[in-house]
Amino acid sequence: MPLPVALVGPDPLSLGGLAALLAARPELSLVAQLAPEQASPGALASAGAAAAVVDPGLPARFEALRAVAAALPAIALVSSEAEAPGALAAGARGVVRRDAGPARLAAALLAAAEGLLVLDAPLSDRLLRPPPALADPEPLTPREREVLALLGEGLANKSIAQRLGVSERTAKFHVEAILTKLGAESRAEAIVRAARQGWLVL
């Protein structure tokens, strides 16, 4: 039987294009296209969806993903590796780049529906690479921990600044301090290392 799939995202045109790509996949059955505010557990259940593809939009916001992932296995579409940890923290069972083809996306949906965690290869290399051991990383300040939590949500510096009521320059300073303390080269790597240190729950 085809897997019943719902598509969730803020852009109807993008959802329409995605639906057209997946409609030809015999292993899938598209049962709903929903805006984020429509994607309640009840609506997903009424549509008969067993899995979902969630496009958080640009810039990435994961509120809808959290709601959908709490109800059924969800695949998140991301633009870069920096967004992947935030999607996983929001409950995604799979993270796939936006430019993935329909065959790859269909495979990710089927795997997620079977209870597997799916990472697109271009995203997994950096996320799964074991980092050099940090013997005694310098602890984060309370403010840096707040910034780290927002990094885990996939927020950019501007959004972090707005959330905390500080300037974008100050937010950038805190992000750079976090990367330095964790010995990370990117935001995504910092989030993974912080999770391994127990400073962040993904």
Side-chain angles (χ1 to χ4, degrees), residues 45-71:
S46 296
V53 177
V54 179
D55 182 354
L58 296 173
R61 295 185 177 88
F62 298 117
E63 290 83 358
L65 176 58
R66 288 188 185 88
V68 174

Side-chain angles (χ1 to χ4, degrees), residues 47-140:
V53 177
V54 179
D55 182 354
L58 296 173
R61 295 185 177 88
F62 298 117
E63 290 83 358
L65 176 58
R66 288 188 185 88
V68 174
L72 44 75
I75 297 294
L77 301 181
V78 300
S79 299
S80 69
E81 70 173 27
E83 297 175 7
L88 293 173
R93 293 297 303 171
V95 183
V96 177
R97 286 186 60 92
R98 292 179 188 279
D99 57 3
R104 186 185 300 178
L105 189 52
L109 282 163
L110 293 172
E114 291 296 324
L116 300 178
L117 179 64
V118 183
L119 288 176
D120 206 353
L123 302 171
S124 64
D125 291 344
R126 174 64 69 87
L127 291 174
L128 299 181
R129 182 189 308 156
L134 293 176
D136 187 18
E138 184 180 351
L140 302 182

